[in-house]
Amino acid sequence: MAGLGRVPLRQWDLNHDRRRAHRPVADKPLKEPDMGKMDNKVVLITGGARGQGRSHALRFAAEGADVIITDICQQLSLVDYPMGTPEELAETKRQVEELGRRCLSFEVDARDGKAMRTTVNEAVAELGHLDAVIVNHGISVPHMTTGPEQDDDVWDLVMDTNINAVWRTVRAVVPHMTENGGSISLTSSAAGLVALFGRAAYVVSKHGVVGLAKTLAAELAPHWIRVNAVCPTGVDTPLYLNPGIIKAFTGKDDGTREDMRWTATSLNLLPVPWIEPEAVSNVMLFLASDEAKYITGIALPVDAGMTTMPPGISPFIGQRLAELES
């Protein structure tokens, strides 16, 4: 169909001289000995005040990158857990700088496309270039199809944050990457590959992130911009381990992480209740590095087997049931 076919050959700029760093060189190793994987690179990370965003910033800085971090640093009215603060954003910046790297931090709402473009333009003007982007921000708020009218507002807020703001962030960064290429990684979720109860907007938005990553990978490939989605299971951050989620898992108003551990473990094939943010950061680093220079358009689960769980009960649950019977 017209407009949906292959990119015309003339758009591919066959010489690619200006993008030589992204082409294979048979007799050159992917990384020089004793160099960081991101030496002399600049990475932008949204949702950088804490959690996965802070973990990503520190991981990239440890590998030699200078870092741009953004966060809304405001409490959205319908979100039922504390969100990142200006103090936490400043702490991420401090920790990156302790690793000897430059760090620019900005309080900005990614839903505001104009504000994001201004922020990105300012940051790139100061640091000189942009090589990798991790669109990490997102929220998760419970709501039901049969719930009160306010659940329509929850839907709108989650979709605006988890899809519209991702799109607007990408739109802000791409003009700075078309000359030399680079990597964009979008944080989706295991819920971007399977369903969850009671969080329709989150599930739909994270499925949308996967679709967006694939579409962007196709559109931006002529510029050697690779785009991928990362799909974690539950991660040890405030988005997942907060009182609302713990109550949903345990049925207790005063439930604890330990109370939730058994039920959370039942979601994963590997016998873990959740994963550490650093596990996701390692994948983000891999996708941004030259080691992944031919990987684009994928949705990579970092999910302890959650999305490949066969029908029936997991081995962990089977073992626990057997112990209860004995």
Side-chain angles (χ1 to χ4, degrees), residues 21-35:
H22 295 273
R23 300 171 62 195
V25 180
D27 58 352
K28 182 178 180 181
L30 290 175
K31 185 171 80 73
E32 298 293 336
D34 302 319
M35 289 180 63

Side-chain angles (χ1 to χ4, degrees), residues 78-79 139-144 149-160 201-202:
L78 296 173
V79 176
I139 58 173
S140 178
V141 183
H143 65 111
M144 296 295 291
E149 188 172 340
Q150 177 177 291
D151 283 359
D152 290 341
D153 298 328
V154 171
W155 173 278
D156 291 342
L157 177 64
V158 173
M159 297 297 286
D160 202 20
Y202 184 76

Side-chain angles (χ1 to χ4, degrees), residues 43 45 51-61 67 134 136 187 277 280-282 284:
V43 59
I45 302 166
Q52 292 185 54
R54 177 180 292 175
S55 176
H56 302 339
L58 297 177
R59 187 71 181 91
F60 275 70
V67 182
I134 301 175
N136 165 75
T187 300
V280 185
S281 300
N282 289 337
M284 293 295 189

